[in-house]
Amino acid sequence: MFWIAVTGIMLSATAAPVDVILDTDLGDDIDDTWALCQMLGTPEINPKLIVTAAHNTPLKTRLVAKILESIGRTDVPLGIGKKTADKPINQAEWLGDYSLDDYKGVVHKDGIQVMI
């Protein structure tokens, strides 16, 4: 039997998928981007919402949107977290001029309220 740990919850490959909200500060280091892709490729996890956090959250939401669109997962709604700075992200070159208007899925302007 295959098991995976998600925030302290043990999931079995035979169990129904667990609903998950991912709150992420991706865009600085590659670890959050890897975690996002790992989550999306894990059938035991059902992503219900992805909310961006820390610094330039609209820019980070654009990055999440482009990743999701690139792998055909526009079924996952996005939420923009509180913007605290205009800090650039390391994956800006790949992001290019991609716009949130390009995202075919749902984008919530107040991701914190939607998460609540």
Side-chain angles (χ1 to χ4, degrees):
M1 180 169 289
F2 174 73
W3 292 88
I4 184 169
V6 178
T7 60
I9 301 169
M10 294 303 290
L11 305 175
S12 163
T14 60
V18 173
D19 294 342
V20 172
I21 295 173
L22 177 64
D23 183 38
T24 180
D25 67 344
L26 93 169
D28 299 320
D29 297 319
I30 199 66
D31 61 333
D32 285 83
T33 303
W34 182 88
L36 169 64
C37 292
Q38 179 69 30
M39 178 187 77
L40 293 169
T42 302
E44 294 83 12
I45 298 174
N46 180 29
K48 299 298 281 184
L49 176 69
I50 298 172
V51 180
T52 55
H55 309 296
N56 194 337
T57 53
L59 182 62
K60 291 178 178 199
T61 305
R62 284 177 45 212
L63 179 59
V64 175
K66 185 171 181 181
I67 292 168
L68 292 178
E69 191 163 310
S70 296
I71 61 173
R73 289 301 309 266
T74 58
D75 60 304
V76 181
L78 304 178
I80 302 171
K82 181 176 172 65
K83 183 178 181 180
T84 58
D86 283 324
K87 185 178 174 186
I89 60 173
N90 291 333
Q91 293 143 332
E93 185 176 335
W94 181 77
L95 181 58
D97 62 355
Y98 183 86
S99 168
L100 278 178
D101 294 334
D102 298 329
Y103 188 63
K104 310 251 184 307
V106 174
V107 178
H108 300 280
K109 293 189 186 295
D110 187 348
I112 296 168
Q113 185 59 47
V114 173
M115 191 168 29
I116 291 170

